[in-house]
Amino acid sequence: MKPDMIESVTGIVGMGLMGSALMKMTGAERGWDVDGARCVNAVTAGDVFENCVVVFLCLPNSDIVREVLRGADLKAGRIVIDTTTGDPSEMAALGAELKERGVEYLDATVSGSSAQLMKREVLVMVGGDGKVFERCRGLLERFAREVVHVGPCGSGAKMKLVTNLVLGLNRAALAEGIVFAQQMELDLAQTLDVMRRSMAYSRIMDTKGEKMITGDFEPQAKLSQHLKDVRLMLAASELPLPLSETHRALLEKAEALGYGEADNSAVIQAILKP
């Protein structure tokens, strides 16, 4: 299969924030979602699988991925690129099962939000066959500043959990710092500026600092999705992850307060409210 064919016949299953952004950046011709209002040139998920050489999956978790693939009439030679942050062992198993059917599978997890993807600022971490990865590189580079092959199927999910662990803790630490600054009666805008220029700096200050200060929780990436990721981290680890346990409790509190569908910067509400 020629690379230009790979890049020209593409579809999306899961047209949420990430899927919709992927459609715009890749020029995908078909997209399906359980929300019929989001569908593009497709009435069912089967329409996408039947008509597209490459299908991106942008779904909430691995269980839903398996359910969707179970009902898909996948032809040999198709390529499934799964951007879901899921269970690494499940994604490895899916890759092996699809391989037996002549279907290639890449778990291509995305480090960055849908808003960053629209600016081609994300990193894509890919697990799967190296040759298939190279065939799809041009398509992935349409929306990523960098793509990296990290190992066999499931490796993309593993790397995403590691990066999300550190990212999420950076976000929680920033939220606690802003709340502490507020208690100290410091100007919050100036505090954020000083932190950006100090050794405390992390890129999360650029993307989430102002949202926390202003209370703008319009979702770029939903809090409930990161809570799902933290639970996956804790389940996958053989050793205790004490900071992540604390982070899980904060996210669960924020979700209970009604911020599950809000931006993940809303974790600050779990610190602000007793």
Side-chain angles (χ1 to χ4, degrees), residues 5-17:
M5 187 176 181
I6 286 177
E7 295 188 26
S8 64
V9 190
T10 305
I12 313 284
V13 172
M15 292 287 289
L17 292 171

Side-chain angles (χ1 to χ4, degrees), residues 5 12 21 25 38 41-42 61 69 85 91 120 132-133 144 167 182 189 205 219 225 233 237 243 247 249:
M5 187 176 181
I12 313 284
M25 295 298 285
R38 296 175 178 170
N41 298 324
N61 57 58
L69 291 177
T85 302
M91 297 174 99
R120 212 168 154 264
V132 179
F133 165 74
L167 175 67
Q182 185 175 28
M205 294 177 185
Q225 281 296 105
M233 296 164 198
S237 179
L243 297 180
H247 190 200

Side-chain angles (χ1 to χ4, degrees), residues 2 34 36 48 93 104 114 125 134 161 163 166 174 182 203 236 244:
K2 296 180 180 179
V34 289
V48 180
E104 301 292 352
S114 56
M125 302 159 285
E134 289 299 335
L161 291 182
T163 60
V166 177
L174 174 61
Q182 185 175 28
R203 290 181 63 189
S244 292

Side-chain angles (χ1 to χ4, degrees), residues 23-39:
M23 171 158 274
K24 292 175 182 177
M25 295 298 285
T26 63
E29 61 180 25
R30 295 175 187 270
W32 179 84
D33 193 87
V34 289
D35 182 349
R38 296 175 178 170
C39 294

Side-chain angles (χ1 to χ4, degrees), residues 202-213:
S202 70
R203 290 181 63 189
I204 207 68
M205 294 177 185
D206 299 333
T207 57
K208 302 298 180 180
E210 290 184 14
K211 291 179 76 65
M212 290 181 183
I213 289 172

Side-chain angles (χ1 to χ4, degrees), residues 33-273:
D33 193 87
V34 289
D35 182 349
R38 296 175 178 170
C39 294
V40 178
N41 298 324
V43 177
T44 67
D47 293 337
V48 180
F49 288 111
E50 181 178 354
N51 292 285
C52 298
V53 176
V54 178
V55 177
F56 282 92
L57 303 181
C58 305
L59 298 168
N61 57 58
S62 298
D63 290 339
I64 295 175
V65 169
R66 180 169 285 282
E67 182 180 341
V68 167
L69 291 177
R70 184 181 296 118
D73 183 17
L74 284 167
K75 300 180 178 68
R78 293 291 196 255
I79 299 174
V80 174
I81 301 179
D82 190 357
T83 69
T84 306
T85 302
D87 181 337
S89 61
E90 180 69 3
M91 297 174 99
L94 283 169
E97 293 167 20
L98 290 174
K99 187 72 173 179
E100 291 180 357
R101 298 164 61 183
V103 176
E104 301 292 352
Y105 176 85
L106 299 175
D107 61 302
T109 53
V110 179
S111 179
S113 68
S114 56
Q116 290 170 313
L117 186 145
M118 289 292 292
K119 299 176 183 177
R120 212 168 154 264
E121 293 177 350
V122 299
L123 168 70
V124 180
M125 302 159 285
V126 185
D129 184 274
K131 292 181 180 178
V132 179
F133 165 74
E134 289 299 335
R135 285 162 59 194
C136 296
R137 179 188 288 273
L139 180 58
L140 297 171
E141 288 177 343
R142 289 188 180 184
F143 59 87
R145 62 173 167 80
E146 189 175 355
V147 297
V148 57
H149 182 247
V150 294
C153 289
S155 300
K158 290 177 181 178
M159 193 67 76
K160 177 65 180 292
L161 291 182
V162 171
T163 60
N164 266 15
L165 185 153
V166 177
L167 175 67
L169 292 177
N170 280 342
R171 191 163 49 234
L174 174 61
E176 187 167 302
I178 288 173
V179 170
F180 183 49
Q182 185 175 28
Q183 293 180 62
M184 300 290 284
E185 299 183 344
L186 292 170
D187 179 274
L188 296 185
Q190 184 183 47
T191 298
L192 180 59
D193 178 61
V194 169
M195 286 194 294
R196 280 173 169 162
R197 289 188 280 162
S198 77
M199 291 299 292
Y201 174 74
S202 70
R203 290 181 63 189
I204 207 68
M205 294 177 185
D206 299 333
T207 57
K208 302 298 180 180
E210 290 184 14
K211 291 179 76 65
M212 290 181 183
I213 289 172
T214 63
D216 170 20
F217 302 132
E218 181 70 23
Q220 297 173 337
K222 294 180 181 178
L223 185 143
S224 60
Q225 281 296 105
H226 192 69
L227 174 56
K228 178 263 297 181
D229 296 351
V230 172
R231 287 169 173 160
L232 283 172
M233 296 164 198
L234 294 170
S237 179
E238 296 180 2
L239 294 174
L241 301 175
L243 297 180
S244 292
E245 287 283 8
T246 300
H247 190 200
R248 175 191 56 76
L250 281 174
L251 292 168
E252 288 178 347
K253 181 178 176 182
E255 188 176 63
L257 289 168
Y259 292 98
E261 294 299 300
D263 188 75
N264 48 33
S265 57
V267 67
I268 194 171
Q269 294 298 309
I271 303 170
L272 280 168
K273 298 185 179 182

